[in-house]
Amino acid sequence: MDALNIAPLLSLTVGVFLFIFILFRKSGLGRDKRLRYVLAALVFYFAFVSFDYYTTLSERGSNWYFGISYMFHHLVGFLFYYFIALLIKLPVAFKKWVFIVSGITLLRWLFFYPLFEYENIDEFFTLLQTSEYAEWLFLEYLLVTLLNIFFFFLAFYRFRKAPMALVLTKDEKLKYKWAKLILIALVILQLGMFINLLVNGYTMDTYQISMKFESLLIAIFFFIFAYSIMHFPVFAFSGDFEDLPEETKKKYAKSSLKDSSELFDQIGALVREEQLYLDFDLKLNTLSEKLGSSIHHVSQAINQNSGMSFPDFINGFRIEEAKKRLLMPKPDTIFAISLDVGFNSKAAFYTAFKKVTSQTPTEFKKAFKS
């Protein structure tokens, strides 16, 4: 075996191990199983890419399925963004995106249909050197790479801007920092591949370099990212007691908090009387310190008695205050009201308002007048 072929083989091994680890690990990623499945799907894709690269290098591309993994390359950006959106509890119009992604997939498969007759990689690169079709292939690769870069960057931006439900510990901050660094690294890697193609063109040499090293780098990135994310508490974003690791929930299930309704009443009274909801950076730690109760007990009381996570519970107070201000004789602008009642952006205000009232702020005002 050529020593250089070891890179995709190592990447394949790491990918398979990580895929199994993500699917069958009991703790980490909270109760939303979609997080586990989407992350596993991403890792499986990169394991499949590594398998494709390894067999292509080993058999000189004589296998009929060489390059098949690239047919799914456009899914990477969408899946990664969807994973981050689920992690930080960002609403996503899933059905609309499924329709869009399915359309792009169909168009790409139709575009590549003429290449299915080529049985090995040598025939493929002969086509690139002799046909005008190569220019369209080059353009298609650039567009797909740019699409993935866009979604990687958007995922990083959303992840960095996502509000936390509690103040992170030193260990949690480190894992959060690692996750952000890996997101940046993935954007840089995609940009590097993009620039390499622009400078050197789509040749056998550049393709072999990609096969030998790109898969290994991505495997390393995903290994560190998955480890960081699965050990970084989803609870930090959701503030939902149900998102705690099982061992933590069991620990507090045996605690003195048998009836959480009394603590829930105290939380509601405190938030309302001191208008804590007006602070856009309100954390579970604040309520915990003021009530002299643990963060997990506060979260448990909110979750069990309201059926909501901490952010949704606090947003309920903010929306009630916003409704009063929207109905004043001479109300401020919607943006000003959103900031006044504790939201740090107009988009977050609109999302929360519609979640609580099933209307936008403008629709709410019109309905009240009518």
Side-chain angles (χ1 to χ4, degrees):
M1 184 195 301
D2 187 338
L4 290 174
N5 295 353
I6 293 176
L9 180 59
L10 286 174
S11 181
L12 173 61
T13 305
V14 170
V16 171
F17 167 77
L18 195 54
F19 175 74
I20 295 170
F21 175 77
I22 292 168
L23 276 185
F24 296 101
R25 180 180 164 84
K26 299 266 183 185
S27 62
L29 296 181
R31 62 174 170 173
D32 191 341
K33 293 182 179 179
R34 292 176 300 174
L35 278 165
R36 193 177 302 279
Y37 297 151
V38 174
L39 185 57
L42 278 165
V43 171
F44 178 81
Y45 168 75
F46 284 113
F48 179 45
V49 170
S50 300
F51 172 76
D52 191 350
Y53 286 173
Y54 173 67
T55 53
T56 299
L57 286 168
S58 301
E59 303 171 24
R60 188 56 186 172
S62 59
N63 50 306
W64 63 268
Y65 51 83
F66 82 91
I68 287 292
S69 61
Y70 180 66
M71 302 287 288
F72 302 93
H73 190 55
H74 63 288
L75 299 177
V76 176
F78 289 113
L79 283 173
F80 202 84
Y81 179 77
Y82 184 50
F83 172 78
I84 294 297
L86 289 174
L87 184 71
I88 64 176
K89 311 300 180 185
L90 187 71
V92 175
F94 181 74
K95 291 183 179 178
K96 180 182 80 172
W97 280 109
V98 166
F99 178 77
I100 293 171
V101 172
S102 299
I104 293 173
T105 303
L106 180 61
L107 287 174
R108 290 193 73 221
W109 287 4
L110 289 172
F111 176 76
F112 282 108
Y113 182 74
L115 299 180
F116 290 165
E117 62 182 278
Y118 296 96
E119 296 182 356
N120 61 61
I121 199 167
D122 290 324
E123 290 183 13
F124 173 73
F125 277 97
T126 300
L127 168 73
L128 292 185
Q129 293 167 4
T130 59
S131 170
E132 292 182 359
Y133 192 63
E135 295 179 5
W136 291 103
L137 284 171
F138 181 77
L139 179 61
E140 192 276 342
Y141 178 83
L142 294 183
L143 290 174
V144 170
T145 303
L146 283 173
L147 184 68
N148 283 336
I149 290 171
F150 169 75
F151 277 104
F152 275 132
F153 180 79
L154 189 60
F156 165 73
Y157 177 78
R158 298 292 194 192
F159 186 70
R160 189 171 65 87
K161 290 287 186 179
M164 296 286 182
L166 70 158
V167 177
L168 301 181
T169 64
K170 189 175 180 179
D171 183 54
E172 290 165 351
K173 283 181 181 178
L174 182 62
K175 293 184 176 73
Y176 180 60
K177 183 179 179 181
W178 268 113
K180 287 196 296 183
L181 286 173
I182 293 302
L183 279 170
I184 295 172
L186 284 168
V187 173
I188 293 172
L189 177 62
Q190 290 287 319
L191 281 170
M193 293 160 50
F194 179 75
I195 293 169
N196 178 55
L197 187 67
L198 283 177
V199 174
N200 298 312
Y202 206 96
T203 66
M204 186 62 182
D205 288 339
T206 56
Y207 186 59
Q208 282 192 330
I209 290 171
S210 175
M211 286 192 290
K212 291 169 183 175
F213 300 112
E214 173 201 328
S215 59
L216 184 60
L217 286 173
I218 291 177
I220 293 169
F221 289 154
F222 264 91
F223 186 86
I224 299 171
F225 178 78
Y227 179 85
S228 300
I229 284 296
M230 293 191 77
H231 288 80
F232 176 80
V234 177
F235 176 77
F237 288 114
S238 70
D240 191 335
F241 183 77
E242 292 301 318
D243 279 328
L244 284 169
E246 287 300 320
E247 55 269 21
T248 307
K249 280 196 287 187
K250 287 177 183 177
K251 173 185 173 183
Y252 282 96
K254 298 175 182 177
S255 71
S256 58
L257 190 65
K258 302 301 181 185
D259 183 6
S260 60
S261 58
E262 184 179 345
L263 177 58
F264 178 71
D265 291 340
Q266 293 174 6
I267 294 168
L270 176 67
V271 172
R272 188 176 291 104
E273 289 169 10
E274 297 193 15
Q275 294 188 312
L276 298 178
Y277 54 86
L278 298 180
D279 178 8
F280 80 91
D281 200 31
L282 180 64
K283 300 280 195 292
L284 272 166
N285 303 66
T286 304
L287 301 183
S288 171
E289 289 168 8
K290 286 180 176 290
L291 293 166
S293 184
S294 77
I295 291 171
H296 301 110
H297 281 168
V298 173
S299 175
Q300 181 183 352
I302 292 172
N303 189 222
Q304 290 178 345
N305 291 274
S306 70
M308 293 185 281
S309 64
F310 170 70
D312 288 342
F313 175 70
I314 297 300
N315 283 344
F317 289 93
R318 291 168 176 162
I319 297 305
E320 288 305 312
E321 181 67 25
K323 285 160 71 174
K324 295 175 187 175
R325 300 190 185 205
L326 285 167
L327 299 178
M328 287 180 176
K330 292 183 179 180
D332 288 333
T333 64
I334 291 175
F335 178 62
I337 290 173
S338 70
L339 295 179
D340 287 344
V341 300
F343 289 95
N344 60 357
S345 73
K346 188 176 179 179
F349 174 59
Y350 266 79
T351 300
F353 197 96
K354 192 156 188 177
K355 188 173 183 178
V356 173
T357 67
S358 300
Q359 296 174 305
T360 65
T362 304
E363 289 170 345
F364 171 76
K365 288 173 68 176
K366 288 180 179 179
F368 183 80
K369 287 180 181 179
S370 64

